[in-house]
Amino acid sequence: MSKCALITGITGQDGAYLSQLLISKGYRVYGTVRHLATANIWRLRELEILDKTNLIEIDLLNYDSIYDAIKTTNPDEIYNLASPSFVGTSFEHPIYAGNAGGLAVTRLLAAILAADPDIRFYQASTSEMFGKAQTTPQTETTPFYPRNPYGVAKLYGHWMTVNYRDSHNLFACSGILFNHESPLRGRDFVTRKISLGLSCIKEGQQDILRLGNLEAQRDWGFAGDYVEGMWRMLQHEIPSDYILATGKPRSVRDVVDLAAGALGMDLLWEGTGAEMVGIERSSGRKIVVVDPAFFRPIEKELLTGVAEKAHSVLGWRQRMGFEDLIAQMTERDHDRVIKKDLFY
């Protein structure tokens, strides 16, 4: 008999790639959305799996709604990928971030305990929990010090997952994932803003790409690789918490250079800091500028993870390199711009 998985946040980047993976392994996949009529399903459609998933409505701010969804779908595994995903907006809506990113995890765990304690649970934790990192690089034992409401909420959900595992013997795992990108990333994220923005500039649909701190570094991997790590965590004999990361931080300017290169645009950089500009060498046009409006209220320390535990215990490996990732994202966005796709 095939396994059944319930994925919260199925319409997001990770939810879509995870659904694709589980379907390829013969799972029956249920995914939760807040409202079926307004669900943003373009990612499932792009991966050609929309007709292979079962969407159900759920309110993660309501315990009864969660419990009913679990009893209706009877899953073997639950992957909690739903939460406010854009860090910047958590400063504007800290109460909602805490409720949806933190307390919702407790509701899920409590509902699992009441409905079926044999369900295996995955919690999407994040490198944002390290924030003002006490050591670099970070491992599973590095102390947490979140620097934004999103990271604080995620830390609460992380520790509740550990608590339910220890106190109630639930099979509950947290994946501490560092930045992971793809052509399915939301347009608010800097990697996608770059790949789409430069594609629009290339085709004459945009003049300037405005970015924040170009020297900010992130540990960027491919989302399709990382969802396999999520699945591997729930297949192991013993529940635990794992970092998934590349261990190789790269700067925002690196992303710009690689995306520009994928489009045949050679950039010349002039100035420093907030005065830095990117100039297209062939035309002399200024196409990239720094805009302080995009700086974070509190910039985090250099976050880069050590995934040795996932390598040795789970056999997980990152397959796609950074250069190929940015090239894939840029080529897909350029194709979207040329074809005037409207759903992305």
Side-chain angles (χ1 to χ4, degrees), residues 15 60 63 96 105 132 134 168 175 214 231 233 259 271 290 331 337:
L60 291 175
Y63 170 84
Y96 177 74
V105 182
K132 189 176 181 180
Q134 305 301 288
H168 301 289
L214 291 171
W231 174 77
M233 290 178 206
V290 175
E331 289 162 8
V337 170

Side-chain angles (χ1 to χ4, degrees), residues 86 94 104 169 299 338:
F86 190 53
N169 202 32
E299 184 58 63
I338 291 173

Side-chain angles (χ1 to χ4, degrees), residues 77-257:
E77 300 167 3
I78 294 178
Y79 297 84
N80 181 35
L81 310 183
S83 74
S85 58
F86 190 53
V87 173
T89 59
S90 72
F91 286 100
E92 302 167 18
H93 306 286
I95 295 173
Y96 177 74
N99 204 342
L103 286 171
V105 182
T106 308
R107 295 186 192 100
L108 279 160
L109 291 162
I112 290 171
L113 188 64
D116 182 0
D118 290 331
I119 293 172
R120 297 192 169 199
F121 177 75
Y122 172 84
Q123 166 60 16
S125 291
T126 170
S127 60
E128 292 286 342
M129 300 188 307
F130 293 117
K132 189 176 181 180
Q134 305 301 288
T135 59
T136 300
Q138 293 83 49
T139 71
E140 289 83 359
T141 61
T142 300
F144 298 117
Y145 194 150
R147 299 275 278 173
N148 53 64
Y150 171 83
V152 173
K154 281 289 194 176
L155 184 55
Y156 174 86
H158 174 83
W159 281 120
M160 288 304 296
T161 301
V162 174
N163 183 263
Y164 268 75
R165 181 172 70 219
D166 293 345
S167 301
H168 301 289
N169 202 32
L170 289 186
F171 194 105
C173 302
S174 279
I176 306 172
L177 272 58
F178 283 65
N179 294 67
H180 45 290
E181 317 298 311
S182 77
L184 302 186
R185 199 48 146 154
R187 286 191 279 180
D188 288 336
F189 290 84
V190 67
T191 49
R192 195 63 213 293
K193 183 178 181 180
I194 292 167
S195 63
L196 181 58
L198 288 178
S199 295
C200 288
I201 290 171
K202 176 74 173 180
E203 295 304 317
Q205 298 180 22
Q206 183 174 324
D207 295 324
I208 295 286
L209 175 61
R210 300 183 181 277
L211 299 170
N213 182 6
L214 291 171
E215 301 308 323
Q217 295 188 55
R218 303 288 184 264
D219 186 332
W220 276 302
F222 173 51
D225 291 338
Y226 285 42
V227 298
E228 182 186 345
M230 300 176 189
W231 174 77
R232 285 176 177 265
M233 290 178 206
L234 296 197
Q235 311 317 304
H236 195 62
E237 298 88 351
I238 301 171
S240 189
D241 307 319
Y242 298 86
I243 281 177
L244 299 184
T246 72
K248 300 176 181 178
R250 301 292 292 266
S251 72
V252 173
R253 187 163 63 154
D254 289 336
V255 178
V256 176
D257 283 332

